[in-house]
Amino acid sequence: MACANTKVDVLLTSDKSDHQIKLLGIEAIKNELGVLGLIRFMQQFDTGSGNYTEERHEWQDHYTVDSLIQAIKKQRQDKKS
């Protein structure tokens, strides 16, 4: 993949909106990697949905340090058996 000249980049992109830049970037990736490569690339940047910070309290708040230590000890013991 060739490196672009920064001055040329500014001339080619300075009059384009962020949306246009995004579309051009997607097209460039598709041209370089193909459709499946583009899909794999895009999947890396999925931001998901919801509020992880709030949601994790729903499944983590009942844990204590002692309960986690006991669970680890039990799992280790089960593996030995």
Side-chain angles (χ1 to χ4, degrees), residues 21-64:
I21 295 293
K22 181 178 178 180
L23 292 177
L24 288 169
I26 289 170
E27 186 67 25
I29 294 168
K30 185 183 85 172
N31 290 340
E32 186 69 27
L33 301 177
V35 174
L36 294 178
L38 170 63
I39 291 168
R40 287 179 58 193
F41 178 80
M42 297 299 286
Q43 286 174 334
Q44 295 179 42
F45 298 97
D46 180 20
T47 57
S49 63
N51 184 332
Y52 174 76
T53 302
E54 289 178 6
E55 291 171 4
R56 76 172 178 218
H57 287 287
E58 293 175 15
W59 58 273
Q60 286 186 346
D61 279 354
H62 68 278
Y63 292 116
T64 65

Side-chain angles (χ1 to χ4, degrees), residues 64-77:
T64 65
V65 172
D66 290 335
S67 71
L68 294 172
I69 291 171
Q70 290 301 326
I72 292 168
K73 287 180 179 179
K74 182 179 183 328
Q75 185 176 25
R76 288 179 179 169
Q77 185 62 36

Side-chain angles (χ1 to χ4, degrees), residues 15-26:
D15 64 332
K16 293 182 176 44
S17 69
D18 288 346
H19 180 71
Q20 290 171 312
I21 295 293
K22 181 178 178 180
L23 292 177
L24 288 169
I26 289 170

